[in-house]
Amino acid sequence: LEDENILSSKKDKLQGFKEKQKQRQEAEAAAAHDEEMRKKSQNSVSQTSLLRLHQKNMELVERKQQRVQDQIVAEFEKQQKLEKLKPKINVKSDPSRLLQKTKGQINREKDRSCCVNPVVGSRGMPSRAVPAWRKGL
C-alpha cells in the first residue's frame, strides 16, 4: 500500500512537472511569437520611416539642384545683359596718347590766358575806378 502511495505521488509529481514544463514551453513559444510580431511591426515601422526619410532626402536634393540650376541660369542671363550693354569700342594701343593733353586741359589753358594772375597782398589789388558822382569832389 505504501508503495502504491509512493508510486501515485511520484506519478502526480511527474504529471505536475510535465504540466509545468508544457506551460513553460507554451509561455516561451508565446513570448517568442510576441517578440517576432514586435520585430515585424518594428521592421514595418522602420521600413515606412526609412521610405519617408528617403523620399524627403530626395525632395531636398531636388530642391537644392533646382536652386543651383536657377543660379546658373540667372548668372548666364546677367552676363548676356552686360554683354549687350557693353559698348563696342576698338581703340589701338598708343602709348604716346597718354602724354597728350586732353580737350578739357586745352580749354582750361585758353580760359587762363584771358584772366589776370592772382594777386597777393593789398598793393597788388587793382583799385576801382572812382564813381561818377564822386569825381568832382
Side-chain angles (χ1 to χ4, degrees):
L1 194 71
E2 199 174 294
D3 285 337
E4 287 179 13
N5 282 342
I6 293 174
L7 191 61
S8 67
S9 72
K10 284 186 179 182
K11 282 184 181 178
D12 289 339
K13 285 181 181 179
L14 184 63
Q15 263 187 339
F17 178 73
K18 284 184 180 179
E19 283 180 21
K20 284 182 182 178
Q21 208 173 22
K22 188 176 179 182
Q23 287 175 353
R24 190 179 312 130
Q25 285 176 350
E26 287 175 358
E28 287 175 0
H33 181 69
D34 288 344
E35 183 69 24
E36 187 179 324
M37 293 303 287
R38 186 181 63 78
K39 283 184 179 181
K40 282 185 180 179
S41 67
Q42 274 186 342
N43 281 343
S44 67
V45 169
S46 65
Q47 287 293 335
T48 56
S49 64
L50 282 175
L51 287 173
R52 195 170 358 117
L53 285 174
H54 182 69
Q55 190 175 18
K56 190 173 183 179
N57 285 344
M58 292 303 292
E59 288 174 7
L60 290 173
V61 167
E62 286 175 6
R63 276 193 229 150
K64 186 172 183 177
Q65 287 176 345
Q66 186 64 34
R67 247 186 274 133
V68 169
Q69 188 83 16
D70 291 343
Q71 285 178 349
I72 291 171
V73 169
E75 186 67 28
F76 181 72
E77 289 174 355
K78 184 178 177 183
Q79 289 296 330
Q80 282 184 338
K81 284 182 182 179
L82 289 175
E83 287 296 323
K84 285 181 183 178
L85 294 175
K86 191 183 259 187
K88 309 279 191 286
I89 300 174
N90 295 326
V91 178
K92 294 178 184 175
S93 177
D94 185 14
S96 65
R97 73 181 173 85
L98 294 174
L99 301 175
Q100 294 176 355
K101 292 184 179 182
T102 62
K103 289 183 181 178
Q105 287 174 327
I106 294 169
N107 287 337
R108 280 194 297 272
E109 286 178 358
K110 286 181 185 175
D111 292 342
R112 280 190 201 152
S113 62
C114 68
C115 296
V116 179
N117 289 336
V119 178
V120 178
S122 61
R123 281 190 176 164
M125 288 186 75
S127 60
R128 292 189 174 173
V130 180
W133 59 272
R134 286 190 77 195
K135 276 194 179 190
L137 299 176

